[in-house]
């Protein structure tokens, strides 16, 4: 999801208004950041109803804890809100026990990255493909790629071994490569 472009002074004023309980600031925050934060949530959660629940819980957390937030620099509000959304998504996955690993013998066909092109795949199709990954794979992939977490950090967050995190990431990449290849084969111009 693209980052929300907000002038640092505007963002700092918005934080101050939110911390003062200004209702119009809450509406402005929602209008400005809801799309980006919904995209973050959808990277982790596949079911639309679950996304709505997690999204709502994250916004409740944001608004109830905004007083604890310290503005540091331009973009820090979005970064903090994104972290809250990721944490709420992970909390949901833990309580639903959906991040369980697939059995070690789960077979993923090896695909070469050499002939892989995703430049012609629309972003909404890529999001659909991501949502088709098993929950554990999708969660590890998101934490590693989008949140910049190491496998050590992911293991700690999810209560799994570091090797399991690396393995799930590798298998997620292979499954996506297979989906990309199939999409490209089915949507390439016929000669």
């Amino acid at each position: 999801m693209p980052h929300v472009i907000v002038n640092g002074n505007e963002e700092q004023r918005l934080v101050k208004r939110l911390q003062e309980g200004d209702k119009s600031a809450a509406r402005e925050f929602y209008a400005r950041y809801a799309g980006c934060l919904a995209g973050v949530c959808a990277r982790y959660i596949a079911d639309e109803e679950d996304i709505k629940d997690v999204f709502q819980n994250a916004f409740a957390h944001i608004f109830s804890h905004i007083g604890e937030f310290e503005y540091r620099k331009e973009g820090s509000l979005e970064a903090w809100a994104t972290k809250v959304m990721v944490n709420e998504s992970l909390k949901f996955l833990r309580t639903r026990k959906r991040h369980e690993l697939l059995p070690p013998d789960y077979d993923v066909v090896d695909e070469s990255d050499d002939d892989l092109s995703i430049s012609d795949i629309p972003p909404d199709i890529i999001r659909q493909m991501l949502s088709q990954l098993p929950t554990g794979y999708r969660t590890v992939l998101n934490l590693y790629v989008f949140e910049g977490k190491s496998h050590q950090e992911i293991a700690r967050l999810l209560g799994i071994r570091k090797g399991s995190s690396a393995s799930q990431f590798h298998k997620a990449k292979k499954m996506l490569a297979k989906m990309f290849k199939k999409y490209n084969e089915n949507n390439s111009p016929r000669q």
Side-chain angles (χ1 to χ4, degrees):
M1 286 318 276
H3 292 284
V4 179
I5 299 171
V6 180
N7 172 302
N9 291 332
E10 277 182 55
E11 187 180 51
Q12 196 167 14
R13 282 193 298 274
L14 178 60
V15 168
K16 187 174 182 340
R17 290 173 45 222
L18 285 167
Q19 290 176 334
E20 292 169 349
D22 182 339
K23 299 290 185 206
S24 68
R27 287 189 295 276
E28 183 180 332
F29 176 87
Y30 185 87
R32 193 175 278 180
Y33 296 102
C36 173
L37 295 175
V40 169
C41 186
R43 287 196 327 245
Y44 291 90
I45 313 295
D47 182 75
E48 288 295 322
E49 291 303 312
D50 291 340
I51 289 171
K52 290 176 188 174
D53 290 344
V54 172
F55 183 82
Q56 183 176 351
N57 289 343
F59 266 82
H61 182 96
I62 288 167
F63 291 134
S64 66
H65 290 83
I66 192 68
E68 301 163 21
F69 172 72
E70 284 183 46
Y71 183 82
R72 295 175 194 233
K73 64 179 182 173
E74 187 174 320
S76 62
L77 178 60
E78 180 183 357
W80 176 73
T82 298
K83 185 176 181 178
V84 170
M85 187 62 71
V86 168
N87 288 338
E88 286 296 320
S89 298
L90 293 176
K91 185 167 101 179
F92 171 82
L93 292 173
R94 279 191 297 271
T95 59
R96 296 288 176 103
K97 299 197 186 302
R98 289 178 143 171
H99 67 280
E100 295 168 1
L101 305 175
L102 289 179
D105 60 345
Y106 186 81
D107 191 29
V108 178
V109 177
D110 230 5
E111 294 291 335
S112 167
D113 294 342
D114 300 339
D115 58 350
L116 199 56
S117 171
I118 66 167
S119 61
D120 295 331
I121 303 176
D124 60 320
I125 299 295
I126 293 174
R127 279 191 291 278
Q128 284 178 346
M129 291 174 182
L130 285 169
S131 73
Q132 292 172 20
L133 291 174
T135 304
Y137 292 8
R138 184 175 60 248
T139 303
V140 169
L141 180 86
N142 280 308
L143 289 169
Y144 189 84
V145 173
F146 296 106
E147 309 307 327
K149 302 285 186 196
S150 69
H151 288 299
Q152 181 88 22
E153 292 170 307
I154 294 168
R156 187 180 42 75
L157 281 169
L158 301 180
I160 60 176
R161 291 186 353 255
K162 180 180 171 184
S164 296
S165 174
S167 172
Q168 287 193 45
F169 176 71
H170 175 74
K171 289 178 181 180
K173 283 181 20 181
K174 295 299 179 187
M175 287 182 79
L176 281 174
K178 185 176 181 181
M179 289 181 216
F180 294 158
K181 182 177 180 183
K182 184 176 179 181
Y183 179 87
N184 286 333
E185 289 171 355
N186 291 338
N187 293 286
S188 65
R190 305 285 180 218
Q191 295 182 10

